Amino acid sequence: MAQFVGQPNLEGTEDLNAITAAYSTFFSENAFAIIASNLLISFGGFVIYFTIAPSHSGTVADDLGKALRLFLIFLIANILTGLATFAGILLFIIPGLYVACRLILVPIIIADHGERNPLEALKKSWESTKDNGFSILLLVLMIAVIGAITVGVIQMIIGVIIGLATGGAGWPLVENLVSALGGTALQIVFTVLIGSIYYQLTGKGSDVGEVFT
């Protein structure tokens, strides 16, 4: 995406309406690439939940097949989670983050139980994270901050090295690959983190108290 589609041109743009118009134009011109890439990323992440689910059995091909059959349910559940989170964000952000953390287990619940009812997946996640919403929020924020700083520093160092090697011209393909790899690493970390939380809160791992106290 970064190499062949890029980002909207916001150079010299400070007006909010102009920024909104630039993003709107960018999306309308690249809608297919944006939607296709995000669906591919979502599907890839969803497959990993099948691999780390307690009920996992079979091969990677089996996981791909299971994920494909439940992918529409996963998308609908994600939309419902997004709507619930947005409603919470309208109430001064923190409630939205809390709601997002209470519903954080939705994808792995779908993968582990083969759940075909999106609302039931949301309900099970809400029940599983009872009394641990803010603990999960704190954990996720810590991982997000540490991860973002780590990836940012690595990208900066590589960017400086490339800049020195090319006299400031840069190698966009290499820089974009580094950025993509960093994003991939963070996504995998968060996917495994959600799996770990699920193991703890459903009693399939060590004692919950050891994790959140």
Side-chain angles (χ1 to χ4, degrees), residues 185-202:
L186 281 180
Q187 182 183 11
I188 292 174
V189 167
F190 276 108
T191 301
V192 175
L193 174 66
I194 291 170
S196 179
I197 293 172
Y198 177 73
Y199 268 74
Q200 303 298 335
L201 296 184
T202 56

Side-chain angles (χ1 to χ4, degrees), residues 35-88:
I35 293 173
S37 64
N38 277 281
L39 285 175
L40 183 61
I41 291 169
S42 298
F43 180 73
F46 189 40
V47 172
I48 298 175
Y49 286 112
F50 285 87
T51 303
I52 64 177
S55 62
H56 171 263
S57 62
T59 64
V60 173
D62 294 329
D63 293 338
L64 289 167
K66 293 174 185 176
L68 188 60
R69 289 192 291 273
L70 291 170
F71 190 50
L72 180 59
I73 305 300
F74 169 72
L75 292 178
I76 295 173
N78 266 359
I79 292 172
L80 294 175
T81 299
L83 291 174
T85 301
F86 180 71

Side-chain angles (χ1 to χ4, degrees), residues 41-198:
I41 291 169
S42 298
F43 180 73
F46 189 40
V47 172
I48 298 175
Y49 286 112
F50 285 87
T51 303
I52 64 177
S55 62
H56 171 263
S57 62
T59 64
V60 173
D62 294 329
D63 293 338
L64 289 167
K66 293 174 185 176
L68 188 60
R69 289 192 291 273
L70 291 170
F71 190 50
L72 180 59
I73 305 300
F74 169 72
L75 292 178
I76 295 173
N78 266 359
I79 292 172
L80 294 175
T81 299
L83 291 174
T85 301
F86 180 71
I89 286 176
L90 294 179
L91 300 174
F92 305 108
I93 299 179
I94 296 297
L97 296 176
Y98 174 79
V99 169
C101 289
R102 290 294 303 273
L103 299 177
I104 199 171
L105 302 182
V106 166
I108 194 166
I109 285 173
I110 295 175
D112 191 34
H113 295 273
E115 181 60 63
R116 294 183 176 275
N117 184 335
L119 290 176
E120 189 64 24
L122 268 68
K123 179 183 176 181
K124 288 179 179 177
S125 178
W126 192 266
E127 292 172 349
S128 297
T129 55
K130 182 180 179 181
D131 299 327
N132 287 299
F134 285 111
S135 299
I136 294 173
L137 175 58
L138 178 60
L139 177 63
V140 169
L141 285 177
M142 287 193 303
I143 299 297
V145 171
I146 294 172
I149 292 175
T150 302
V151 171
V153 170
I154 292 173
Q155 290 178 352
M156 181 181 67
I157 292 173
I158 293 177
V160 170
I161 293 173
I162 291 175
L164 293 173
T166 61
W171 289 329
L173 178 59
V174 175
E175 293 168 4
N176 290 334
L177 282 173
V178 171
S179 177
L181 288 171
T184 300
L186 281 180
Q187 182 183 11
I188 292 174
V189 167
F190 276 108
T191 301
V192 175
L193 174 66
I194 291 170
S196 179
I197 293 172
Y198 177 73

